[in-house]
Amino acid sequence: PHKVITDAVALALRDKPHLVVLTGDFVNREPEEAARLAPMIAPLAKTPLGMVGVLGNHDYRGGGDAVAKPLEAVGLTMLRNRS
């Protein structure tokens, strides 16, 4: 799965987006999965307007705060009950 994610990030950055929006389900079951994902998506934060995201149902099941924390640490602005 790591190659799929890193390839997807590279493909997205190739198009020089101004903003990246990630729409949840960052983990399947365990909140620790987010810590492994975080460095793979980090390059997306370098877009001019950055990257924003929302948690999906799997993320809340694993503990929303535990999932959000490592992702926010690499520049993902998590939109939770705000805009």
Side-chain angles (χ1 to χ4, degrees):
H2 295 260
K3 182 165 175 25
V4 171
I5 294 168
T6 56
D7 286 352
V9 168
L11 185 62
L13 291 175
R14 187 186 72 191
D15 288 336
K16 297 180 176 48
H18 289 90
L19 173 70
V20 174
V21 179
L22 302 175
T23 58
D25 285 346
F26 297 102
V27 302
N28 189 30
R29 289 196 165 89
E30 302 298 325
E32 295 79 20
E33 296 170 22
R36 292 190 297 273
L37 173 66
M40 291 184 267
I41 67 165
L44 297 172
K46 294 178 176 32
T47 59
L49 298 174
M51 69 175 161
V52 298
V54 295
L55 295 173
N57 64 315
H58 289 216
D59 304 322
Y60 282 109
R61 189 178 331 142
D65 290 335
V67 171
K69 188 174 181 176
L71 301 173
E72 291 171 331
V74 298
L76 176 62
T77 301
M78 196 66 72
L79 300 177
R80 293 195 288 174
N81 298 319
R82 64 190 182 113
S83 59

